Amino acid sequence: MSKNPSLPELKKALGKEYQIRHIDFEKCLYRDFGNGFNVEVSGVARANRKGPATLYLWFGETPPDCIIVKTVHDVGRSAEAIGEVMEELLDYSNSLIASGRADRDNLFHMKYGSLLGRR
């Protein structure tokens, strides 16, 4: 695979769990973990194939019930780099489930509690 693979090349290299979806007017890679969490891989459909990817761990599928739980910036564009971060996010989502935080309200307060004056 090339150093800067195309979106279809990345999807093929990463495997069957991945889809190509339009999210916020951008073609992205997408993976549903099947546990209430999913990941959007943004920045990999650029025509010049340069620049890093950004991965967004989401809880939920549709607004207003969905929320971005974690964002990972500056991920390399290779299938290996994206796959590695994806597995870390899967582990993180499973740890949130194990700790009883797998609902929107708990996740919202975990992420924005300091802005609300509580944790």
Side-chain angles (χ1 to χ4, degrees), residues 45-97:
R46 293 183 187 101
N48 67 7
R49 299 187 194 172
K50 292 185 179 177
T54 301
L55 280 71
Y56 299 93
L57 176 66
W58 287 87
F59 177 79
E61 285 284 325
T62 56
D65 298 324
C66 58
I67 182 173
I68 295 175
V69 177
K70 187 171 186 172
T71 305
V72 182
H73 298 279
D74 299 322
V75 177
R77 288 181 50 97
S78 70
E80 295 79 18
I82 292 169
E84 183 177 307
V85 173
M86 191 68 68
E87 292 308 309
E88 291 170 7
L89 291 173
L90 176 59
D91 291 344
Y92 180 67
S93 70
N94 286 329
S95 73
L96 291 172
I97 293 167

Side-chain angles (χ1 to χ4, degrees), residues 16-19 21 29-40 57-61 86 90 93:
K16 296 177 186 176
E17 300 95 9
Y18 293 81
Q19 302 171 11
R21 287 194 173 181
L29 283 175
Y30 172 88
R31 180 175 170 191
D32 186 340
F33 289 151
N35 63 1
F37 292 88
N38 58 78
V39 176
E40 164 193 352
L57 176 66
W58 287 87
F59 177 79
E61 285 284 325
M86 191 68 68
L90 176 59
S93 70

